[in-house]
Amino acid sequence: MAASPSTARAINDRLALRLLQDEGPLTATQLKTLTGLSRPTVADLVERLQGSGLVRVVGEAGAERRGPNAKLYGIAADRAHLAALDVRTDSVTVVVADLLGTTLAEATLPVGDGTAAEPAPGPAVEQAVALLERTAKDAGVARLHSVGIGAPGLIDPATGELNDSSGLPAWHRRLVPALQGRIPATVLIENETNLAAVAEQRVGAARDRDTFVLVWLGQGVGAAVVLDGRLRRGASGGAGELGFLPVPGTSGLPSATDCAGGFHELACAAAVDALAARHGLDPRTALASGDGAFLDALAERLAVGAAAVVSVLDPGCVVLGGRTGHAGGEPLAARVEARLARLSPLRTDVRPTALGDGAVLRGALLAARDAAQDELFGPGAP
């Protein structure tokens, strides 16, 4: 059944917007070539998109003759402004960007007064909200369209809210309602590891993969699962809770409330630091030291957890993220891949993160941009 004229126009518009997003400014002739549409159809859609304020003339193509087809059309980057927050247990990083994702301002702030194990929820939330407002003002942005937040913890798939957890600061759960009350914008929250995986898939180490697992190795340990191009969260949002995985070499078994005894005990930042110290290395520089014995011992540990993931999911690719994956880089990834090949018959590439510590923030910004584009460009937009 043929699409209606209005549906066909919407499809063509989204196709053109995706190309302008991915390829940058294009002439009408280039849009015609890339879309396969007729010249009149391209002319109509360009006029339509300009009229909606989504596209504007941003220059001329010097290699072409002067005239209508020499105009370069680009997405109106200032049509909407976005923000992203990377929320840690004791700090918040904020970035404000335009619709194309270009950073306009960025800031980081410790949360709390530095004297308590956990900052009081009220003041901590106020600090985080004020930081966002201040950063937006510094960027010259009067109104934000969408705000993406990356935070540790499980996101309830039914409600989209951060689940209560005894291991996380209470102020994390209060942040989204506070932002929604103060900022007239769409506010989204997602698990930090999931956002890092989205960023690695779109602009990082997994750009050539539609199925992979990101193993997050930081203060906590977790994983994000991407299958057939889609992020998989699980029935309760807990897909990838790798820290609770029972593995050999630990002090016991994990429990429902404590990941001690699980893979966390072998691979969290504190465990990596302790392993470095046993090798006579400064934990702050051990991962970049190139010390073969230390990297071999760490790779043995990481391969145990990776082998469990590979045996169940067969992702074909594992990306090592977080502090350890970033600092260990290719030398650590290569060692994990070699050991994994001895533990599993399933061929698996192991790669270090391409985005490092910025992966969560990048993923949160992509989530905010997707939300803005879905509203401005229409559902199914690029």
Side-chain angles (χ1 to χ4, degrees):
M1 182 176 179
S4 67
S6 61
T7 299
R9 284 194 296 270
I11 292 171
N12 292 340
D13 288 355
R14 287 197 296 268
L15 175 58
L17 288 165
R18 186 182 72 243
L19 288 168
L20 291 170
Q21 178 79 66
D22 294 343
E23 305 293 335
L26 297 169
T27 66
T29 297
Q30 288 170 327
L31 280 170
K32 174 182 177 297
T33 300
L34 292 170
T35 61
L37 299 173
S38 68
R39 188 176 299 277
T41 299
V42 169
D44 288 342
L45 76 82
V46 166
E47 182 178 356
R48 201 161 49 243
L49 293 174
Q50 283 186 285
S52 69
L54 294 174
V55 167
R56 63 170 62 113
V57 176
V58 296
E60 291 186 345
E64 298 187 47
R65 66 178 177 83
R66 296 186 63 83
N69 288 346
K71 293 178 181 178
L72 279 170
Y73 299 97
I75 289 176
D78 58 357
R79 182 68 169 78
H81 291 98
L82 322 167
L85 284 76
D86 182 359
V87 179
R88 305 295 173 97
T89 55
D90 58 358
S91 68
V92 175
T93 298
V94 174
V95 63
V96 175
D98 62 24
L99 189 56
L100 288 174
T102 302
T103 297
L104 304 176
E106 186 171 358
T108 300
L109 182 73
V111 173
D113 58 11
T115 61
E118 179 180 323
V125 168
E126 177 59 32
Q127 284 182 288
V129 175
L131 178 65
L132 174 57
E133 292 175 330
R134 192 161 58 248
T135 308
K137 183 178 180 180
D138 290 344
V141 173
R143 182 182 183 280
L144 293 169
H145 183 285
S146 304
V147 178
I149 304 172
L154 303 183
I155 307 300
D156 188 324
T159 65
E161 296 178 353
L162 184 66
N163 285 340
D164 193 12
S165 172
S166 59
L168 295 175
W171 66 272
H172 281 195
R173 297 191 75 243
R174 299 190 187 185
L175 180 57
V176 170
L179 286 171
Q180 290 171 331
R182 289 260 292 270
I183 309 291
T186 299
V187 180
L188 312 163
I189 188 166
E190 178 59 272
N191 172 265
E192 60 180 356
T193 306
N194 286 345
L195 288 176
V198 169
E200 295 288 358
Q201 183 187 28
R202 300 265 288 269
V203 295
R207 281 174 292 179
D208 60 336
R209 296 282 181 166
D210 62 0
T211 294
F212 72 100
V213 170
L214 171 75
V215 176
W216 184 264
L217 303 166
Q219 182 178 353
V221 175
V225 180
V226 177
L227 303 177
D228 300 323
R230 291 182 57 195
L231 181 68
R232 308 292 177 161
R233 296 176 175 83
S236 62
E241 278 297 298
L242 199 57
F244 285 87
L245 181 72
V247 293
T250 63
S251 60
L253 290 173
S255 70
T257 58
D258 189 356
C259 57
F263 184 56
H264 174 92
E265 188 175 308
L266 297 181
C268 69
V272 175
D273 289 347
L275 181 64
R278 285 201 294 274
H279 280 78
L281 302 172
D282 184 340
R284 295 170 297 181
T285 59
L287 284 162
S289 69
D291 185 278
F294 166 64
L295 291 177
D296 286 344
L298 179 56
E300 291 284 356
R301 291 184 174 193
L302 300 183
V304 170
V309 172
V310 168
S311 66
V312 174
L313 297 176
D314 187 18
C317 178
V318 170
V319 176
L320 303 181
R323 189 197 81 167
T324 299
H326 182 211
E330 187 58 41
L332 178 61
R335 284 173 165 82
V336 174
E337 181 175 317
R339 283 151 182 78
L340 186 56
R342 297 202 297 265
L343 294 174
S344 171
L346 305 175
R347 168 64 181 167
T348 307
D349 293 334
V350 180
R351 306 172 178 179
T353 169
L355 301 175
D357 291 340
V360 175
L361 201 61
R362 190 70 174 271
L365 188 59
L366 287 169
R369 193 180 77 180
D370 288 347
Q373 291 183 346
D374 281 348
E375 180 178 324
L376 297 173
F377 299 172

